[in-house]
Amino acid sequence: MQSIHKIIGDVILGVAFLSLFIIQKSFNRFSASLHLKVNELVASNKSASNTVINAEEKTELEITELSKEYATLVEGIKEEKHDNP
């Protein structure tokens, strides 16, 4: 009786891990396609900064620096809108 429970537990564990890998692969594929679409939009807009293309391949420090630059840009835009209603 004990061995049957162990076998059932092992099968359930195996199915759970297999499901995890299938879900992870599916998510990675979706994420990669989303990155390609965003890169296409950035590349097709002449006024867009191409520094964000392939941002997923940048280091954490590079991403932090880009985030700071965009935060500064947003603050500047907010100030312009506030000064010129």
Side-chain angles (χ1 to χ4, degrees):
M1 199 64 151
Q2 191 70 293
S3 64
I4 293 174
H5 291 294
K6 183 171 175 25
I7 291 171
I8 292 173
D10 290 343
V11 169
I12 291 173
L13 184 64
V15 169
F17 273 111
L18 183 60
S19 298
L20 176 70
F21 289 125
I22 291 171
I23 292 168
Q24 185 177 18
K25 183 176 180 177
S26 174
F27 179 77
N28 287 344
R29 183 172 181 210
F30 170 77
S31 179
S33 68
L34 185 62
H35 285 280
L36 285 172
K37 291 174 183 179
V38 170
N39 287 344
E40 172 66 18
L41 288 173
V42 171
S44 67
N45 190 340
K46 291 180 182 178
S47 63
S49 170
N50 289 333
T51 58
V52 296
I53 291 180
N54 292 327
E56 67 277 5
E57 295 176 6
K58 296 189 182 301
T59 65
E60 191 172 336
L61 181 61
E62 290 173 322
I63 291 173
T64 302
E65 290 299 318
L66 281 170
S67 295
K68 288 178 185 176
E69 288 177 28
Y70 280 100
T72 303
L73 183 63
V74 168
E75 288 300 319
I77 292 171
K78 284 181 182 178
E79 288 177 8
E80 285 180 15
K81 285 185 177 181
H82 182 48
D83 291 342
N84 299 322

